[in-house]
Amino acid sequence: MNRRNILLSSVVCAVALASPLAQAAEQPIRLIVPYAPGGPLDVTSRILAERVRDSLGTVIVENKPGAGGNIGVDAIAKAAPDGKTIGLAAVATHAVNPWLYKKLPFDADKDFASITQMVRVPNVLVLNTQKAKELNINSVADLVAYGKAHPGKLSYGSGGNGSAGHLAGEMLQQGLGFTAVHIPYRGASPAQLALLAGEVDFNIDNLAAASSNIQSGKLKALAVTTPDESKLLPGVPPLSKNIKGFAIDTWWGLVAPAGTPADVLEKLNKAFTDALKDPETQKRFASLMAEPVPTTPKEFQAFMAAERNKYGPVVKASGASVD
């Protein structure tokens, strides 16, 4: 009887000790999106969360918007480096904000371990179609000619001072030698609505957001900001034909907190890059005008560093700053 009790006790103890390990293995992965629900970053994250379920288990997408993405990104940086919390790094949070904000609660270079780039979305120079007809602007050359002939008459909107749209507009003016008045709005959606209403003449927006209005004829696409013509918008020339080397993409990818073990990063990278290469994922991303870009962690880390170096002087020249 004593022996039986001892054996039972041993089994109970073994189960008790194993339970936390089992629970840890079953703990879902939290994927933090530092922007509001419904946008391209959120939608693509949810698509990938579905695609990696078989290899990684449950991945829960958690939106933490605010402060230009900094609130959500800070939550990623300060999470335990165990692979159970990952999140998005984007052009704004990891290439622009380090120069735009005087103080950040995280270091975009040192506080994150890269997993993979997810996507790139071409930016597109768009005009209000009605305004394009009124001003007889049908090409980038027409836009520049009008801007030079009528200094200060053209205006463009963006999602705010220091936003990607603002900086792209500054680069456009510097590269082509004309001037336009920048009008900042409180976010990309209000800026797009202003363009549709004719409050501003042109915007440089990401194709995912602008495509439906281009297709409906409300906006006229003059150029894409990719180095070459984009297969997502055939027939629209790249701005690199007017400005040598001009290339700006909207991009985002996956990162984990710094210190996440290499084997964990490798497992995450394989699961997500396999999902990005899957034909069904590519089909769904194409409907969002987003091109999957699976990379190694090292490649994504180097890419983000290069993007920070590119945007530093642009932010400085724009004079944009956030306390």
Side-chain angles (χ1 to χ4, degrees):
M1 194 68 180
N2 287 339
R3 185 181 177 193
R4 183 183 177 188
N5 288 339
I6 290 171
L7 288 172
L8 286 172
S9 297
S10 299
V11 170
V12 170
C13 288
V15 171
L17 290 170
S19 293
L21 296 176
Q23 289 171 3
E26 294 172 3
Q27 181 185 347
I29 294 173
R30 183 172 61 139
L31 196 168
I32 296 176
V33 175
Y35 297 97
L41 286 84
D42 176 65
V43 174
T44 52
S45 296
R46 293 179 188 278
I47 290 172
L48 279 191
E50 294 175 11
R51 305 302 295 176
V52 298
R53 186 180 298 272
D54 289 343
S55 54
L56 296 178
T58 302
V59 178
I60 298 172
V61 175
E62 180 180 336
N63 299 90
K64 279 186 171 293
N70 293 335
I71 291 175
V73 169
D74 188 42
I76 301 166
K78 291 179 170 54
D82 57 6
K84 292 301 180 181
T85 299
I86 61 175
L88 292 193
V91 59
T93 60
H94 280 68
V96 175
N97 288 1
W99 308 106
L100 179 64
Y101 285 78
K102 292 182 179 179
K103 291 183 180 179
L104 283 178
F106 57 84
D107 187 315
D109 179 39
K110 298 178 181 178
D111 289 347
F112 304 91
S114 295
I115 297 172
T116 179
Q117 186 174 345
M118 276 175 58
V119 300
R120 61 173 164 241
V121 179
N123 291 333
V124 57
L125 171 60
V126 285
L127 270 73
N128 176 292
T129 299
Q130 186 60 41
K131 187 63 68 74
K133 289 179 180 178
E134 290 174 9
L135 302 180
N136 197 28
I137 295 175
N138 296 297
S139 66
V140 173
D142 290 341
L143 179 71
V144 175
Y146 184 90
K148 288 181 176 180
H150 305 85
K153 292 292 185 181
L154 287 174
S155 63
Y156 74 100
S158 80
N161 285 318
S163 67
H166 174 204
L167 299 179
E170 290 295 319
M171 294 171 71
L172 181 72
Q173 293 175 76
Q174 292 171 19
L176 295 176
F178 76 103
T179 59
V181 178
H182 172 234
I183 301 178
Y185 291 86
R186 293 181 178 233
S189 293
Q192 185 182 78
L193 291 174
L195 178 63
L196 292 169
E199 294 176 13
V200 294
D201 301 313
F202 70 92
N203 285 1
I204 298 180
D205 204 351
N206 73 73
L207 186 54
S211 61
S212 62
N213 287 312
I214 294 172
Q215 292 167 2
S216 70
K218 295 177 182 178
L219 297 180
K220 182 179 183 65
L222 294 188
V224 291
T225 63
T226 44
D228 303 300
E229 183 177 308
S230 172
K231 62 183 180 182
L232 297 173
L233 201 61
V236 177
L239 266 171
S240 60
K241 285 190 173 182
N242 305 90
I243 308 172
K244 186 177 179 180
F246 192 96
I248 299 176
D249 288 326
T250 296
W251 55 262
W252 55 95
L254 292 166
V255 293
T260 300
D263 61 329
V264 174
L265 292 173
E266 184 178 345
K267 180 180 179 181
L268 290 168
N269 175 267
K270 183 176 187 332
F272 282 107
T273 55
D274 284 351
L276 288 166
K277 295 172 186 175
D278 184 270
E280 180 60 26
T281 302
Q282 295 184 353
K283 181 180 178 182
R284 294 179 70 180
F285 278 24
S287 69
L288 299 167
M289 300 294 172
E291 179 187 353
V293 186
T295 65
T296 66
K298 186 176 181 180
E299 287 170 340
F300 187 38
Q301 194 82 16
F303 172 76
M304 288 195 289
E307 287 287 285
R308 275 192 296 278
N309 289 336
K310 177 171 76 176
Y311 278 102
V314 178
V315 175
K316 184 176 180 180
S318 75
S321 179
V322 179
D323 291 331

